[in-house]
Amino acid sequence: MSSPVRAAGPPPASHLYHADHYDWSRAPATFWHASGGPPPVAVDPLQGDVDAEVAIVGGGLTGLSAALHLARDHGIEARVLEAGPLGWGASGRNAGFCGPGGARRSLGWIARRFGSEAARQWYQLQVHAVELVRDLALRHRIDLRAAGEGEYVVAHTPRHIRMLERAAEEARAIAAAEWPLLSPAELRERGIALAEAYAALHLQPAFGLHPLRYLRGLARASIEYGARVHERTPVIEWRREGRLHRLVTPSGTVWAERVLFATDAYTPETLARELEGRTLPVLSAILVTRPLTVSEREAQGFLVPALVSDTRELLFYMRLLPDQRLLFGARGGLRADPASFLRRRAWLEARMRERFPAWRHVSVEYAWWGLVALARDGLPHLGPLPGLAGAWLAGCWHGSGVALATLAGRLAAFRLAGRTPDWPLPPFLAQVPPRFPLPGARPVILRLLYGCHLLGERLETFRATLAEARREREQR
Ligand SMILES: Cc1cc2nc3c(=O)[nH]c(=O)nc-3n(C[C@H](O)[C@H](O)[C@H](O)COP(=O)(O)OP(=O)(O)OC[C@H]3O[C@@H](n4cnc5c(N)ncnc54)[C@H](O)[C@@H]3O)c2cc1C
């Protein structure tokens, strides 16, 4: 007997953005795809009808980590169904910052809302997530192309120094963590000269990696342990029939006892009402330049492969890659059609050249963008979908999913195997993301949010100009 999970035809996406952004037929044109080595073999599209104890929708870091841990640690050979080529989603498009993060909320906010024990657990989970990535790479011989130690979060105005001081105080008080706050001079001594850096918090543990090499390594390891991975296999219909989940794809069907939606910002909301409106997907774009010479790097004073981001709501992030290219990215943008992409690219390039004036002449060789999922409550989630026994949803990594999605996959494996995770979890991590009350109004919410951020930025610049003028007057 079929239960009424909403049937849907292709394409399987929420289409909050232009359809071009959800074109699964092509791998995204990223630097990672150009330098990611050979793709894994034995990942052909699903053919025919198959049974599975667990089906995983989404072949990103969450899905592949869940598949690997299910097979390796719980003896369950899951089926992974990925709509595009493996790594088509954010996992193959990100900046490769592997560090703490995953929530829009501070440790202090979490302590006030859920108690200091939950905040401490959340901090420890983030550290554990980064260590897990290193462990997986060692154990499964994955060449991460790791580079850099720690992540520098820079105050982009003098007023934001206080925000960093508060974050350092909270980390010390709640988790006994020491995140040093560096002055601009100390940053320069470390080979990181930036115009808009009034102080920097040095977060650890963190390092840079090649995200697609990492993802492909996870895929190979999960296949070695018995998982079945199918790329170019979009789930276009999902029904519950009796105890089983029936996942229909263009060339076959999986009958599964349990299913994990590891789809984050690309969650196919048209498949079921229960998936609708659980994330707010936002755009983030990246540029990668040609390799920089030693003298070019010295001229700019940006010399080391450090991970750097700033304190803006719509943050800028940057790093030198191991082959000395600059990767430069930023969040924002309301439209994802091809013309908007070209405008966004030009805008981002102009911002990059403002920040790195010595590299005005340096060409940009790669540009792409992708979606990051935010939750209504600003927290990451992994929980059972209400009313749909055996169905789980994991996501809302808030643009910091490289480490956290890997860990979420490991935790999901425990849940899907019917076991309690071996790591204490803060309460929000045991629930699905709460719904946005009017899912269709999310573009309006985003427009308002961006409008507020922009206004805030302009006020900030105005205030900084006034303060500068006052200082000059006093000095005269
Ligand atoms: C530009 C950018 C930069 C970023 N930089 C960083 C960074 O430096 N550090 C960091 O920690 N995080 C970063 N992130 C965030 C990080 O990449 C994500 O949080 C993480 O990769 C999410 O992994 P995931 O497996 O949960 O989702 P994804 O990797 O997005 O995978 C979801 C998959 O589900 C598939 N799917 C959707 N619908 C269906 C369907 N119906 N059938 C089958 N498959 C389906 C999609 O094709 C997709 O591949 C960045 C994100 C972006 C976009």
Side-chain angles (χ1 to χ4, degrees), residues 40-47 79-80 228-233:
V41 291
V43 290
D44 292 340
L46 176 74
Q47 296 294 336
R79 291 266 173 182
V80 179
R228 305 294 303 274
V229 178
H230 303 284
E231 57 178 14
R232 301 183 193 280
T233 303

Side-chain angles (χ1 to χ4, degrees), residues 107-108 161-181 201:
L107 275 183
I161 299 173
R162 181 66 204 123
M163 181 178 152
L164 295 183
E165 284 170 348
R166 206 176 310 122
E169 285 158 17
E170 287 174 358
R172 191 174 308 118
I174 292 167
E178 284 303 329
W179 287 344
L181 191 66
L201 203 59

Side-chain angles (χ1 to χ4, degrees), residues 24 60-62 82-83 88-91 94-97 235 266 397 399-402:
W24 275 279
L61 291 174
T62 307
E82 165 54 48
W88 180 92
S91 300
N94 62 67
F97 285 41
V235 174
Y266 294 92
W397 318 128
S400 295
V402 169

Side-chain angles (χ1 to χ4, degrees), residues 27 32 46 88 97 134 170 173 177 209 223 252 266 279 284 292 301 331 349 397 403 422 444 451 462:
W32 311 124
L46 176 74
W88 180 92
F97 285 41
R134 282 198 204 274
E170 287 174 358
L209 53 70
I223 293 166
Y266 294 92
T279 67
S284 192
L292 296 150
R331 293 238 183 109
E349 207 172 312
W397 318 128
D422 62 351
V444 182
F462 180 63

